[in-house]
Amino acid sequence: MRKQTITKAVIPAAGLGTRFLPVTKASPKEMLPLVDKPLIQYVVEEAVAAGISQIIIITGRGKRAIEDHFDISFELEEILKNTGKDDYIRDLRKISDMADFCYIRQSQPQGLGHAILCAKHLIGDEPFAVLLGDDIVDNDVPALKQMIDVYERTPAPIIGVQQVDPSEVYQYGILDAKPALDELYKINHLVEKPSVEEAPSDLAVIGRYILIPEIFDLLEKTKPGKNNEIQLTDALNDLTALRTMYGYQIKGNRYDAGDKLGFLQATVQMALKNSNLGEPFKQYLKKLAL
Ligand code: UTP
């Protein structure tokens, strides 16, 4: 069998999570639970299911809980062992054994582009994946797996997109692109958070990317933009000028779990899918006089 080209994924998780204050004052947004797993575990599981073996998480102040979550907890395991709860130990070990984890601290939240640039020295000369921790995509074939399969056939930078309602385009990076082979769109340009009138399409960038190391050189040259942050979109537009780049329409239900409403929707969806909770939770919802 041919070896997969993409084995490393960067998960930027150093943002402030202001949309979720006050809960994010002292706790990472990425550790908010969907039923019984933190958001970032769903994203790591998606990456691992897509064949990723090295996970690079960009963290910042107040994010230590993320490292602890993916590490072995000897103390907890000892207590569980002594109280005969060995099943839990197996489940906990699965989390730390999933992949090789590395952490890089972004000393200040200087933007998504800057967060990705922090991983430059760990990526080297290979294409790599980027997954944002607050975009949860629920699908039988994981979103990143879909994109890696496309990359293996069409090796070019790929941005995950989904169609959004025109009333929502102002919240996203929007593609100016032409339909190409398969489910791909050849990108001309990306427009960051346009008005409905300015939006070139309804194809919105969601938090999954396959990038090439050239992006680092471009990020290094990118001047801080809005909020004094180094914007990934600016560097992606520079890359589009140099290389063919595609948008890929991701299949699956996507939730913006960094937003309160999106988070609640994702919670309901995951609870309904849960093998133990699904049925009683459904019965509970049916009883609500909505
Ligand atoms: P967001 O803007 O969605 O996340 O950034 P945020 O800043 O944490 O949340 P709000 O908007 O203030 O509520 C997209 C992703 O990029 C990461 C965030 O952690 C998030 O996963 N990010 C953003 C960084 O890692 N570093 C940054 O400087 C900015």
Side-chain angles (χ1 to χ4, degrees):
M1 214 169 73
R2 202 155 66 94
K3 212 167 148 257
Q4 180 165 311
T5 347
I6 299 172
T7 57
K8 295 181 183 175
V10 178
I11 303 182
L16 297 176
T18 42
R19 283 171 296 163
F20 244 114
L21 280 169
V23 71
T24 45
K25 186 179 173 205
S27 314
K29 164 175 79 175
E30 295 75 16
M31 290 303 291
L32 288 172
L34 287 183
V35 188
D36 55 1
K37 288 194 287 192
L39 289 177
I40 195 163
Q41 189 176 334
Y42 286 88
V43 176
V44 168
E45 285 174 354
E46 179 189 322
V48 171
I52 298 292
S53 53
Q54 190 174 347
I55 306 274
I56 301 159
I57 301 181
I58 314 299
T59 67
R61 189 163 298 118
K63 304 274 185 172
R64 272 290 301 278
I66 298 176
E67 291 173 49
D68 289 340
H69 184 73
F70 292 106
D71 200 359
I72 295 170
S73 173
F74 287 108
E75 233 176 67
L76 177 59
E77 288 189 8
E78 203 47 37
I79 297 169
L80 291 170
K81 200 153 81 193
N82 293 338
T83 47
K85 294 177 178 159
D86 294 60
D87 284 1
Y88 286 106
I89 302 179
R90 250 193 320 274
D91 288 347
L92 292 179
R93 275 293 167 121
K94 272 190 210 150
I95 301 173
S96 46
D97 289 346
M98 252 190 304
D100 288 334
F101 292 92
C102 316
Y103 299 89
I104 303 176
R105 249 174 108 108
Q106 186 189 22
S107 48
Q108 277 179 38
Q110 288 175 269
L112 174 58
H114 180 263
I116 293 171
L117 185 53
C118 291
K120 178 180 175 178
H121 61 288
L122 289 180
I123 294 295
D125 202 19
E126 304 163 31
F128 62 101
V130 174
L131 301 97
L132 301 193
D134 37 16
D135 269 316
I136 299 294
V137 189
D138 183 34
N139 196 60
D140 289 344
V141 181
L144 188 64
K145 172 90 177 86
Q146 299 172 35
M147 290 174 66
I148 289 181
D149 287 348
V150 171
Y151 182 88
E152 299 290 339
R153 292 197 302 272
T154 315
I158 303 172
I159 300 180
V161 298
Q162 277 197 341
Q163 278 179 316
V164 293
D165 192 85
S167 65
E168 294 175 356
V169 288
Y170 75 95
Q171 301 174 34
Y172 294 92
I174 299 293
L175 250 58
D176 172 354
K178 282 204 185 69
L181 274 183
D182 301 329
E183 297 104 335
L184 295 177
Y185 291 84
K186 187 168 176 294
I187 301 176
N188 297 321
H189 196 69
L190 292 160
V191 187
E192 189 59 22
K193 303 194 168 105
S195 62
V196 189
E197 296 77 33
E198 289 163 344
S201 74
D202 59 358
L203 295 170
V205 176
I206 64 167
R208 301 291 181 270
Y209 309 81
I210 291 178
L211 299 176
I212 52 174
E214 218 173 330
I215 194 75
F216 294 122
D217 303 332
L218 299 170
L219 282 168
E220 272 166 346
K221 288 185 201 137
T222 303
K223 300 251 174 338
K226 209 175 143 207
N227 303 331
N228 217 18
E229 293 184 341
I230 296 182
Q231 303 289 343
L232 176 63
T233 307
D234 291 345
L236 289 175
N237 272 327
D238 292 341
L239 188 61
T240 323
L242 301 172
R243 297 260 176 265
T244 300
M245 203 158 85
Y246 293 104
Y248 165 76
Q249 231 176 319
I250 289 180
K251 297 182 191 76
N253 296 323
R254 174 252 171 191
Y255 305 92
D256 177 5
D259 166 80
K260 287 174 197 164
L261 184 60
F263 175 80
L264 290 172
Q265 290 164 344
T267 300
V268 171
Q269 176 67 17
M270 294 306 167
L272 287 171
K273 276 186 74 169
N274 186 281
S275 53
N276 296 323
L277 288 175
E279 201 41 49
F281 185 56
K282 195 160 140 193
Q283 295 314 322
Y284 166 74
L285 291 179
K286 277 185 178 165
K287 269 194 257 154
L288 292 178
L290 294 175

